[in-house]
């Protein structure tokens, strides 16, 4: 497994899963430049101190992959002066409001029926495959924007794990980052201080029982098998990454090289 270069990270009080993607190695010996590509969970609860830090990054664009249901639940991102916010909703692995109602309010019998016996993990795998196949326009727009002007950039969804994780992975594929390094960065979302905090409507012990948390776990884990399913979908649908980028996302060799110039050392 490729080792990442350690980087200092701020302790943001209201933004989870923030990190700079800089330092990841490419197959041709280059590295992703620090300070040009960031990822995180949503910015709706950012404190004044968080906002001041984010403003200090010199961001050009924030890509928000949440849908209307997410934004209704969490609220809009805090506004950062001079930063463009682009909302590109991606199909939600959590299935929006109905999913969150289940997470918050679902009784153990309902959770067992919907999520038990591997159903939760299969649900996640199917959602990753669907995003790769069906959200080519959105990912095309992201890569074209990065190649043309939109850096430094921050990509986020709700937890910064699935929709943002996939969009970062697609970007890293376009940059030629080593596959092991892409997976390692994705799995960083499992760190305790990064994970999305599961909130249940009942505060009883039963609401957070080991069985409940085990049933919900696959929905909030970053698992290599999820990202691998996305990679396999690229191979199955387009025959390889280069064809996916050029035919699926419309990223010409010239634009891909411009993207690499902007984001790599």
């Amino acid at each position: 497994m490729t080792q990442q270069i350690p980087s200092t990270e701020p302790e943001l009080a209201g933004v989870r899963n923030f990190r700079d993607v800089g330092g990841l190695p490419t197959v041709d010996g280059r590295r992703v430049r620090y300070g040009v590509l960031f990822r995180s969970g949503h910015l709706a609860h950012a404190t004044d101190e968080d906002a001041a830090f984010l403003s200090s990054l010199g961001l050009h664009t924030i890509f928000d992959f949440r849908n209307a249901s997410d934004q209704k639940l969490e609220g809009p991102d805090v506004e950062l002066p001079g930063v463009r916010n682009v909302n590109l909703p991606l199909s939600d692995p959590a299935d929006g409001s109905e999913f969150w109602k289940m997470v918050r309010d679902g009784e153990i019998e309902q959770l067992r029926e919907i999520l038990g016996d591997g159903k939760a993990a299969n649900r996640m795998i199917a959602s990753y495959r669907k995003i790769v196949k069906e959200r080519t326009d959105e990912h095309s727009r992201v890569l074209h924007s990065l190649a043309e002007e939109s850096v430094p950039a921050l990509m986020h969804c709700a937890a910064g794990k699935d929709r943002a994780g996939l969009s970062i992975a697609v970007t890293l594929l376009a940059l030629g980052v080593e596959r092991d390094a892409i997976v390692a960065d994705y799995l960083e979302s499992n760190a305790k201080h990064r994970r999305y905090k599961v909130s249940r409507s009942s505060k009883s012990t039963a609401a957070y029982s080991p069985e409940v948390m085990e049933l919900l776990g696959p929905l909030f884990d970053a698992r290599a098998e999820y990202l691998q399913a996305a990679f396999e979908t690229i191979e199955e649908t387009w025959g390889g990454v280069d064809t996916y980028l050029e035919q699926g996302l419309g990223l010409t060799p010239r634009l891909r090289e411009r993207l690499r110039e902007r984001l790599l050392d």
Side-chain angles (χ1 to χ4, degrees):
M1 184 67 71
T2 303
Q3 294 297 310
Q4 296 185 44
I5 297 175
S7 62
T8 57
E9 296 179 6
E11 283 295 329
L12 301 181
V15 180
R16 297 188 74 81
N17 208 4
F18 173 88
R19 58 191 181 275
D20 189 332
V21 185
L24 299 182
T26 65
V27 294
D28 61 354
R30 301 174 71 180
R31 288 190 180 272
V32 179
R33 186 173 300 143
Y34 283 101
V36 295
L37 186 59
F38 304 91
R39 57 181 295 174
S40 74
H42 70 78
L43 310 183
H45 302 160
T47 65
D48 290 345
E49 291 77 12
D50 296 340
F53 168 78
L54 293 170
S55 294
S56 76
L57 299 176
L59 295 171
H60 180 287
T61 300
I62 293 171
F63 294 100
D64 180 356
F65 301 118
R66 297 179 299 160
N67 60 24
S69 175
D70 297 314
Q71 295 194 359
K72 183 178 180 181
L73 177 68
E74 297 141 355
D77 284 346
V78 297
E79 293 188 11
L80 301 178
V83 181
R84 183 179 65 150
N85 191 300
V86 177
N87 182 224
L88 290 174
L90 298 179
S91 57
D92 189 349
D95 281 347
S97 56
E98 288 302 313
F99 166 83
W100 289 113
K101 179 174 174 55
M102 176 188 67
V103 169
R104 293 192 308 268
D105 306 329
E107 299 293 338
I108 187 65
E109 293 80 8
Q110 180 191 23
L111 296 179
R112 285 173 182 155
E113 179 181 354
I114 296 175
L115 304 176
D117 298 323
K119 293 177 185 175
N122 289 338
R123 178 191 186 110
M124 297 301 294
I125 288 170
S127 71
Y128 274 57
R129 289 184 176 275
K130 184 176 181 180
I131 289 176
V132 168
K133 289 186 71 170
E134 298 185 3
R135 296 295 172 159
T136 51
D137 286 348
E138 288 84 351
H139 282 147
S140 174
R141 183 174 170 186
V142 168
L143 293 185
H144 280 76
S145 295
L146 292 175
E148 290 161 4
E149 60 177 358
S150 301
V151 292
L154 168 67
M155 299 185 193
H156 80 78
C157 49
K161 175 179 73 76
D162 300 308
R163 289 162 289 176
L166 259 179
S167 300
I168 286 288
V170 167
T171 303
L172 297 176
L173 284 175
L175 294 174
V177 171
E178 293 178 5
R179 192 69 61 93
D180 283 352
I182 296 175
V183 174
D185 172 72
Y186 168 76
L187 293 175
E188 284 290 324
S189 292
N190 286 326
K192 186 176 181 180
H193 69 288
R194 301 187 193 282
R195 289 180 69 91
Y196 193 91
K197 290 184 177 179
V198 179
S199 179
R200 302 270 286 155
S201 56
S202 171
K203 302 304 179 185
S204 70
T205 304
Y208 293 92
S209 72
E211 184 180 1
V212 166
M213 301 312 289
E214 182 177 353
L215 287 166
L216 292 175
L219 305 175
F220 296 96
D221 290 345
R223 296 187 178 183
E225 65 188 279
Y226 301 164
L227 197 56
Q228 184 59 38
F231 294 153
E232 289 172 357
T233 301
I234 290 173
E235 296 292 333
E236 294 162 2
T237 307
W238 289 277
V241 170
D242 291 340
T243 305
Y244 163 66
L245 293 170
E246 190 157 357
Q247 296 183 8
L249 305 187
L251 195 69
T252 65
R254 183 180 64 84
L255 271 175
R256 191 174 179 185
E257 186 54 38
R258 185 183 300 177
L259 182 71
R260 286 167 58 83
E261 290 173 359
R262 285 191 179 274
L263 297 179
L264 296 180
D265 281 330

